[in-house]
Amino acid sequence: MAKFDSYLLGKVTKTLGNVTMCYMNKQNIARARIFSRKDKPTSEMLDQRARMKVLIELSRFLLPVVQKGFVGIGNGTTSNAFVAKNMKAVDVDEKHVATVDYERLKMATGVQDVPEVSVTYSSENKMYSFEQEMQTEENGFALVDDLVYAVVFESVLMRVKLISLRSRGENGNTSVALPKNWNYANVKIYCFATSKNGKSISPSQYLTVE
């Protein structure tokens, strides 16, 4: 609240923007209007907030993958693109608790063809074996020098490894050890491809371990 003298306006009783002026006790007084929303959030709003919260947190742990897998998607950051593209991969219960469905989670998205990759696991050696099939060029959506990646994610420890496999035009096998202190039961695996310059991306694919 502020007192002021106005010889031009005289006794003022008026509202301008967020300021209300009135005449009280033989003085002109200006008061700022306070705006506040007291709307109770709807169930849909609470669900949306829960999804956003869990995806924003997840994007931080997956940042090296997100920065490579969401290049050029949307007008914001790669992390914003990851959150936007994965809203449907999060389920929310009646208490507004969010749970990620890792089989629906996207680690990358784009117009390129998905690479041909399968994976097996040896419990004796604690080794993953990625088998990659050669792909031929197809109208710019699959080039032989495209780079193929595997994502190995421990969903409880929230640790991730981005592994370079082979070029799309190669056959071959790549072995990767299960990192120390990781639990095989919590590991989620994906693959995707990028152009050699990293500007064109394929959608990611969730890999079922054989």
Side-chain angles (χ1 to χ4, degrees), residues 125-164:
N125 300 322
K126 294 186 177 181
M127 296 285 291
Y128 289 98
S129 179
F130 292 90
E131 190 70 32
Q132 188 173 324
E133 294 185 22
M134 178 182 66
Q135 290 176 288
T136 57
E137 295 197 6
E138 185 179 342
N139 298 327
F141 295 105
L143 302 176
V144 292
D145 63 352
D146 288 344
L147 306 176
V148 179
Y149 296 93
V151 178
V152 183
F153 177 56
E154 217 282 14
S155 60
V156 174
L157 296 177
M158 289 294 191
R159 300 295 301 275
V160 68
K161 286 190 174 294
L162 180 63
I163 299 162
S164 296

Short mmCIF file of all heavy atoms in Angstrom, two decimals, residues 125-164:
data_model
loop_
_atom_site.label_atom_id
_atom_site.label_comp_id
_atom_site.label_asym_id
_atom_site.label_seq_id
_atom_site.Cartn_x
_atom_site.Cartn_y
_atom_site.Cartn_z
N ASN A 125 29.18 -66.85 -17.62
CA ASN A 125 30.24 -65.87 -17.85
C ASN A 125 29.82 -64.44 -17.52
O ASN A 125 30.65 -63.53 -17.56
CB ASN A 125 30.69 -65.92 -19.32
CG ASN A 125 31.23 -67.28 -19.70
OD1 ASN A 125 31.89 -67.92 -18.91
ND2 ASN A 125 30.92 -67.71 -20.92
N LYS A 126 28.53 -64.24 -17.25
CA LYS A 126 27.97 -62.91 -17.02
C LYS A 126 28.29 -61.97 -18.18
O LYS A 126 28.78 -60.86 -18.01
CB LYS A 126 28.47 -62.33 -15.70
CG LYS A 126 27.99 -63.09 -14.47
CD LYS A 126 28.39 -62.40 -13.18
CE LYS A 126 27.82 -63.16 -11.98
NZ LYS A 126 28.16 -62.51 -10.69
N MET A 127 28.00 -62.50 -19.38
CA MET A 127 28.30 -61.76 -20.60
C MET A 127 27.06 -61.65 -21.48
O MET A 127 26.30 -62.63 -21.64
CB MET A 127 29.40 -62.45 -21.40
CG MET A 127 30.75 -62.52 -20.71
SD MET A 127 31.62 -60.93 -20.71
CE MET A 127 32.00 -60.75 -22.44
N TYR A 128 26.85 -60.47 -22.06
CA TYR A 128 25.85 -60.28 -23.09
C TYR A 128 26.52 -60.43 -24.45
O TYR A 128 27.65 -59.96 -24.65
CB TYR A 128 25.21 -58.90 -23.00
CG TYR A 128 24.31 -58.72 -21.81
CD1 TYR A 128 24.78 -58.08 -20.66
CD2 TYR A 128 23.00 -59.17 -21.83
CE1 TYR A 128 23.96 -57.92 -19.56
CE2 TYR A 128 22.17 -59.01 -20.73
CZ TYR A 128 22.66 -58.38 -19.60
OH TYR A 128 21.84 -58.22 -18.51
N SER A 129 25.81 -61.06 -25.37
CA SER A 129 26.32 -61.23 -26.72
C SER A 129 25.33 -60.62 -27.70
O SER A 129 24.19 -61.09 -27.82
CB SER A 129 26.52 -62.73 -27.02
OG SER A 129 27.00 -62.91 -28.34
N PHE A 130 25.76 -59.57 -28.40
CA PHE A 130 24.91 -58.88 -29.37
C PHE A 130 25.24 -59.39 -30.78
O PHE A 130 26.37 -59.28 -31.24
CB PHE A 130 25.13 -57.37 -29.31
CG PHE A 130 24.66 -56.75 -28.02
CD1 PHE A 130 25.52 -56.63 -26.93
CD2 PHE A 130 23.36 -56.28 -27.90
CE1 PHE A 130 25.09 -56.06 -25.75
CE2 PHE A 130 22.92 -55.71 -26.72
CZ PHE A 130 23.79 -55.60 -25.63
N GLU A 131 24.25 -59.97 -31.42
CA GLU A 131 24.41 -60.47 -32.79
C GLU A 131 23.74 -59.50 -33.75
O GLU A 131 22.55 -59.18 -33.61
CB GLU A 131 23.77 -61.85 -32.92
CG GLU A 131 24.10 -62.56 -34.22
CD GLU A 131 25.56 -63.00 -34.30
OE1 GLU A 131 26.14 -63.33 -33.23
OE2 GLU A 131 26.10 -62.99 -35.42
N GLN A 132 24.51 -59.02 -34.71
CA GLN A 132 24.02 -58.00 -35.63
C GLN A 132 23.99 -58.54 -37.06
O GLN A 132 24.95 -59.14 -37.52
CB GLN A 132 24.92 -56.77 -35.56
CG GLN A 132 24.41 -55.57 -36.34
CD GLN A 132 25.27 -54.35 -36.08
OE1 GLN A 132 25.76 -54.14 -34.96
NE2 GLN A 132 25.47 -53.55 -37.11
N GLU A 133 22.87 -58.32 -37.74
CA GLU A 133 22.72 -58.75 -39.14
C GLU A 133 22.96 -57.57 -40.08
O GLU A 133 22.51 -56.46 -39.82
CB GLU A 133 21.32 -59.32 -39.38
CG GLU A 133 21.03 -60.60 -38.63
CD GLU A 133 19.68 -61.17 -39.00
OE1 GLU A 133 19.17 -60.84 -40.10
OE2 GLU A 133 19.13 -61.95 -38.19
N MET A 134 23.65 -57.86 -41.16
CA MET A 134 23.95 -56.83 -42.15
C MET A 134 22.66 -56.34 -42.81
O MET A 134 21.75 -57.13 -43.10
CB MET A 134 24.88 -57.40 -43.23
CG MET A 134 25.23 -56.42 -44.34
SD MET A 134 26.30 -57.19 -45.59
CE MET A 134 25.17 -58.41 -46.27
N GLN A 135 22.57 -55.04 -43.06
CA GLN A 135 21.46 -54.45 -43.78
C GLN A 135 21.98 -53.68 -44.99
O GLN A 135 23.04 -53.06 -44.93
CB GLN A 135 20.66 -53.50 -42.87
CG GLN A 135 19.88 -54.20 -41.77
CD GLN A 135 19.20 -53.22 -40.84
OE1 GLN A 135 19.86 -52.54 -40.06
NE2 GLN A 135 17.88 -53.13 -40.93
N THR A 136 21.24 -53.73 -46.06
CA THR A 136 21.63 -53.01 -47.27
C THR A 136 21.00 -51.62 -47.28
O THR A 136 20.06 -51.34 -46.53
CB THR A 136 21.19 -53.79 -48.53
OG1 THR A 136 19.76 -53.99 -48.47
CG2 THR A 136 21.87 -55.15 -48.59
N GLU A 137 21.53 -50.76 -48.13
CA GLU A 137 21.01 -49.40 -48.22
C GLU A 137 19.58 -49.41 -48.76
O GLU A 137 19.24 -50.20 -49.63
CB GLU A 137 21.91 -48.54 -49.09
CG GLU A 137 23.30 -48.35 -48.51
CD GLU A 137 24.05 -47.20 -49.15
OE1 GLU A 137 23.45 -46.48 -49.97
OE2 GLU A 137 25.23 -47.01 -48.81
N GLU A 138 18.76 -48.50 -48.23
CA GLU A 138 17.36 -48.44 -48.65
C GLU A 138 16.86 -47.00 -48.64
O GLU A 138 16.41 -46.48 -47.63
CB GLU A 138 16.49 -49.30 -47.71
CG GLU A 138 15.03 -49.38 -48.17
CD GLU A 138 14.20 -50.25 -47.24
OE1 GLU A 138 14.77 -51.03 -46.49
OE2 GLU A 138 12.97 -50.11 -47.29
N ASN A 139 16.95 -46.35 -49.80
CA ASN A 139 16.39 -45.01 -49.99
C ASN A 139 16.75 -44.01 -48.91
O ASN A 139 15.95 -43.17 -48.51
CB ASN A 139 14.86 -45.11 -50.09
CG ASN A 139 14.41 -45.93 -51.28
OD1 ASN A 139 15.06 -45.94 -52.32
ND2 ASN A 139 13.30 -46.65 -51.13
N GLY A 140 17.96 -44.09 -48.42
CA GLY A 140 18.40 -43.13 -47.41
C GLY A 140 17.95 -43.42 -46.00
O GLY A 140 18.38 -42.76 -45.06
N PHE A 141 17.08 -44.41 -45.81
CA PHE A 141 16.61 -44.75 -44.47
C PHE A 141 17.49 -45.80 -43.81
O PHE A 141 17.33 -46.10 -42.63
CB PHE A 141 15.16 -45.26 -44.52
CG PHE A 141 14.19 -44.20 -44.95
CD1 PHE A 141 13.64 -44.23 -46.22
CD2 PHE A 141 13.84 -43.17 -44.10
CE1 PHE A 141 12.74 -43.25 -46.63
CE2 PHE A 141 12.95 -42.19 -44.50
CZ PHE A 141 12.40 -42.22 -45.77
N ALA A 142 18.40 -46.38 -44.57
CA ALA A 142 19.34 -47.36 -44.03
C ALA A 142 20.60 -47.31 -44.88
O ALA A 142 20.60 -47.80 -46.01
CB ALA A 142 18.74 -48.76 -44.05
N LEU A 143 21.66 -46.72 -44.35
CA LEU A 143 22.93 -46.62 -45.05
C LEU A 143 23.93 -47.57 -44.42
O LEU A 143 23.92 -47.80 -43.20
CB LEU A 143 23.46 -45.19 -45.00
CG LEU A 143 22.53 -44.11 -45.58
CD1 LEU A 143 23.14 -42.73 -45.39
CD2 LEU A 143 22.27 -44.38 -47.07
N VAL A 144 24.83 -48.13 -45.24
CA VAL A 144 25.74 -49.15 -44.74
C VAL A 144 26.71 -48.58 -43.70
O VAL A 144 27.24 -49.33 -42.87
CB VAL A 144 26.54 -49.79 -45.90
CG1 VAL A 144 25.59 -50.61 -46.78
CG2 VAL A 144 27.29 -48.75 -46.71
N ASP A 145 26.95 -47.27 -43.71
CA ASP A 145 27.86 -46.70 -42.72
C ASP A 145 27.14 -46.11 -41.50
O ASP A 145 27.74 -45.43 -40.67
CB ASP A 145 28.77 -45.64 -43.35
CG ASP A 145 28.00 -44.44 -43.90
OD1 ASP A 145 26.75 -44.49 -43.92
OD2 ASP A 145 28.65 -43.46 -44.31
N ASP A 146 25.82 -46.38 -41.39
CA ASP A 146 25.10 -45.98 -40.18
C ASP A 146 25.74 -46.64 -38.96
O ASP A 146 26.27 -47.77 -39.04
CB ASP A 146 23.63 -46.41 -40.24
CG ASP A 146 22.82 -45.57 -41.22
OD1 ASP A 146 23.30 -44.50 -41.62
OD2 ASP A 146 21.71 -46.02 -41.58
N LEU A 147 25.67 -45.97 -37.81
CA LEU A 147 26.24 -46.49 -36.58
C LEU A 147 25.14 -47.12 -35.72
O LEU A 147 24.07 -46.55 -35.56
CB LEU A 147 26.92 -45.36 -35.80
CG LEU A 147 27.97 -44.56 -36.59
CD1 LEU A 147 28.50 -43.40 -35.74
CD2 LEU A 147 29.10 -45.46 -37.05
N VAL A 148 25.42 -48.30 -35.21
CA VAL A 148 24.43 -49.03 -34.41
C VAL A 148 24.87 -49.05 -32.95
O VAL A 148 26.05 -49.28 -32.64
CB VAL A 148 24.25 -50.46 -34.94
CG1 VAL A 148 23.23 -51.22 -34.09
CG2 VAL A 148 23.80 -50.45 -36.40
N TYR A 149 23.91 -48.80 -32.06
CA TYR A 149 24.19 -48.72 -30.63
C TYR A 149 23.28 -49.66 -29.84
O TYR A 149 22.13 -49.91 -30.22
CB TYR A 149 23.98 -47.29 -30.11
CG TYR A 149 24.92 -46.28 -30.71
CD1 TYR A 149 24.55 -45.55 -31.84
CD2 TYR A 149 26.16 -46.04 -30.14
CE1 TYR A 149 25.40 -44.61 -32.40
CE2 TYR A 149 27.03 -45.09 -30.69
CZ TYR A 149 26.63 -44.39 -31.82
OH TYR A 149 27.49 -43.47 -32.36
N ALA A 150 23.81 -50.14 -28.72
CA ALA A 150 23.01 -50.86 -27.74
C ALA A 150 22.98 -50.03 -26.46
O ALA A 150 23.96 -49.38 -26.11
CB ALA A 150 23.59 -52.23 -27.46
N VAL A 151 21.84 -50.06 -25.79
CA VAL A 151 21.69 -49.39 -24.49
C VAL A 151 21.45 -50.46 -23.45
O VAL A 151 20.52 -51.27 -23.57
CB VAL A 151 20.49 -48.41 -24.50
CG1 VAL A 151 20.33 -47.76 -23.13
CG2 VAL A 151 20.68 -47.36 -25.58
N VAL A 152 22.30 -50.50 -22.43
CA VAL A 152 22.16 -51.46 -21.33
C VAL A 152 21.87 -50.64 -20.07
O VAL A 152 22.72 -49.86 -19.62
CB VAL A 152 23.43 -52.31 -21.17
CG1 VAL A 152 23.25 -53.35 -20.07
CG2 VAL A 152 23.80 -53.00 -22.49
N PHE A 153 20.68 -50.84 -19.49
CA PHE A 153 20.21 -49.97 -18.40
C PHE A 153 19.82 -50.80 -17.19
O PHE A 153 18.99 -51.71 -17.29
CB PHE A 153 19.03 -49.15 -18.89
CG PHE A 153 18.40 -48.27 -17.85
CD1 PHE A 153 19.15 -47.34 -17.16
CD2 PHE A 153 17.04 -48.37 -17.57
CE1 PHE A 153 18.58 -46.52 -16.20
CE2 PHE A 153 16.46 -47.56 -16.62
CZ PHE A 153 17.23 -46.63 -15.93
N GLU A 154 20.42 -50.50 -16.04
CA GLU A 154 20.03 -51.14 -14.78
C GLU A 154 18.98 -50.27 -14.12
O GLU A 154 19.26 -49.17 -13.63
CB GLU A 154 21.27 -51.28 -13.87
CG GLU A 154 21.33 -52.56 -13.05
CD GLU A 154 20.44 -52.61 -11.83
OE1 GLU A 154 19.55 -51.75 -11.70
OE2 GLU A 154 20.65 -53.51 -11.00
N SER A 155 17.74 -50.73 -14.11
CA SER A 155 16.59 -49.88 -13.77
C SER A 155 16.42 -49.63 -12.28
O SER A 155 15.61 -48.77 -11.90
CB SER A 155 15.31 -50.50 -14.34
OG SER A 155 15.11 -51.80 -13.79
N VAL A 156 17.13 -50.33 -11.42
CA VAL A 156 17.07 -50.08 -9.99
C VAL A 156 18.23 -49.17 -9.57
O VAL A 156 18.03 -48.17 -8.86
CB VAL A 156 17.09 -51.39 -9.18
CG1 VAL A 156 17.18 -51.11 -7.69
CG2 VAL A 156 15.84 -52.21 -9.49
N LEU A 157 19.42 -49.49 -10.02
CA LEU A 157 20.58 -48.64 -9.73
C LEU A 157 20.55 -47.35 -10.54
O LEU A 157 21.27 -46.40 -10.22
CB LEU A 157 21.87 -49.39 -10.04
CG LEU A 157 22.17 -50.63 -9.20
CD1 LEU A 157 23.45 -51.29 -9.68
CD2 LEU A 157 22.27 -50.29 -7.72
N MET A 158 19.74 -47.32 -11.60
CA MET A 158 19.67 -46.18 -12.51
C MET A 158 21.04 -45.88 -13.12
O MET A 158 21.51 -44.75 -13.13
CB MET A 158 19.13 -44.93 -11.79
CG MET A 158 17.66 -45.02 -11.46
SD MET A 158 16.64 -45.04 -12.95
CE MET A 158 15.01 -44.82 -12.28
N ARG A 159 21.66 -46.91 -13.64
CA ARG A 159 22.94 -46.77 -14.32
C ARG A 159 22.77 -47.24 -15.77
O ARG A 159 22.03 -48.19 -16.04
CB ARG A 159 24.03 -47.60 -13.63
CG ARG A 159 24.27 -47.23 -12.19
CD ARG A 159 24.83 -45.83 -12.04
NE ARG A 159 26.09 -45.67 -12.76
CZ ARG A 159 27.28 -45.99 -12.25
NH1 ARG A 159 27.36 -46.49 -11.03
NH2 ARG A 159 28.37 -45.81 -12.96
N VAL A 160 23.49 -46.58 -16.68
CA VAL A 160 23.32 -46.90 -18.09
C VAL A 160 24.67 -46.98 -18.78
O VAL A 160 25.63 -46.29 -18.40
CB VAL A 160 22.42 -45.84 -18.79
CG1 VAL A 160 23.11 -44.49 -18.85
CG2 VAL A 160 22.00 -46.30 -20.18
N LYS A 161 24.76 -47.84 -19.79
CA LYS A 161 25.92 -47.91 -20.66
C LYS A 161 25.44 -47.83 -22.11
O LYS A 161 24.53 -48.56 -22.51
CB LYS A 161 26.71 -49.20 -20.43
CG LYS A 161 27.51 -49.19 -19.14
CD LYS A 161 28.45 -50.36 -19.06
CE LYS A 161 29.34 -50.27 -17.83
NZ LYS A 161 30.26 -49.11 -17.91
N LEU A 162 26.05 -46.93 -22.87
CA LEU A 162 25.77 -46.80 -24.30
C LEU A 162 26.92 -47.47 -25.04
O LEU A 162 28.07 -47.03 -24.94
CB LEU A 162 25.66 -45.33 -24.68
CG LEU A 162 25.38 -45.02 -26.16
CD1 LEU A 162 24.02 -45.58 -26.58
CD2 LEU A 162 25.44 -43.52 -26.40
N ILE A 163 26.61 -48.53 -25.76
CA ILE A 163 27.65 -49.37 -26.36
C ILE A 163 27.62 -49.26 -27.87
O ILE A 163 26.57 -49.45 -28.50
CB ILE A 163 27.44 -50.84 -25.93
CG1 ILE A 163 27.53 -50.94 -24.40
CG2 ILE A 163 28.46 -51.75 -26.60
CD1 ILE A 163 26.93 -52.20 -23.85
N SER A 164 28.75 -48.97 -28.47
CA SER A 164 28.87 -48.94 -29.93
C SER A 164 28.98 -50.36 -30.45
O SER A 164 29.87 -51.12 -30.03
CB SER A 164 30.10 -48.14 -30.35
OG SER A 164 29.99 -46.79 -29.95
#
